[in-house]
Amino acid sequence: MKRLLVALLLGVGALCLSASSAGAATGSVSRDEAIDQLHTVRQSIDHTLALIKAGHAEEAIAEAKAGYLRHFEQVEVPLRVVAPTLTADAETKFAEVRALIA
């Protein structure tokens, strides 16, 4: 599980770099808004890890879901234009992490 979370962190970091070149590809979010959302996703991942380490699985799964639904989905479409494989990989990792926590 730890490897999946690390991979997800790396993926989100790479998505931040991709977002910087995405511009306003779809108009749904600006480049700066996308970067802000991805920073929030990274914070959510950190919080999820802390909750797991503290033995709070139910809170961890809620945090993981919220980070994905409230923040990653905001930038999913513009990022898919720039890095479709990376975006799909990140979505898969989010699902795997939620399943492992559950």
Side-chain angles (χ1 to χ4, degrees), residues 12 46 56 75 84:
V12 171
D46 290 343
H56 301 290
V75 296

Side-chain angles (χ1 to χ4, degrees), residues 25-26 28 72-82 87:
T26 64
S28 60
F72 185 76
E73 281 195 345
Q74 297 293 315
V75 296
E76 182 180 348
V77 172
L79 289 175
R80 192 171 300 283
V81 171
V82 176
T87 305

Side-chain angles (χ1 to χ4, degrees), residues 90-100:
E91 288 179 309
T92 300
K93 293 298 179 195
F94 273 111
E96 289 173 0
V97 168
R98 287 191 306 266
L100 287 170

Side-chain angles (χ1 to χ4, degrees), residues 5-86:
L5 290 171
V6 169
L8 183 56
L9 274 173
L10 292 173
V12 171
L15 289 173
C16 285
L17 294 174
S18 297
S20 66
S21 64
T26 64
S28 60
V29 294
S30 72
R31 179 184 66 87
D32 290 338
E33 290 168 333
I35 292 169
D36 288 343
Q37 288 295 329
L38 290 170
H39 285 300
T40 303
V41 171
R42 292 176 71 187
Q43 291 170 346
S44 175
I45 292 167
D46 290 343
H47 190 217
T48 299
L49 285 169
L51 289 167
I52 291 168
K53 288 179 183 178
H56 301 290
E58 287 184 28
E59 292 175 47
I61 191 75
E63 179 64 32
K65 286 179 182 178
Y68 177 82
L69 293 173
R70 292 186 189 146
H71 304 290
F72 185 76
E73 281 195 345
Q74 297 293 315
V75 296
E76 182 180 348
V77 172
L79 289 175
R80 192 171 300 283
V81 171
V82 176
T85 302
L86 187 57

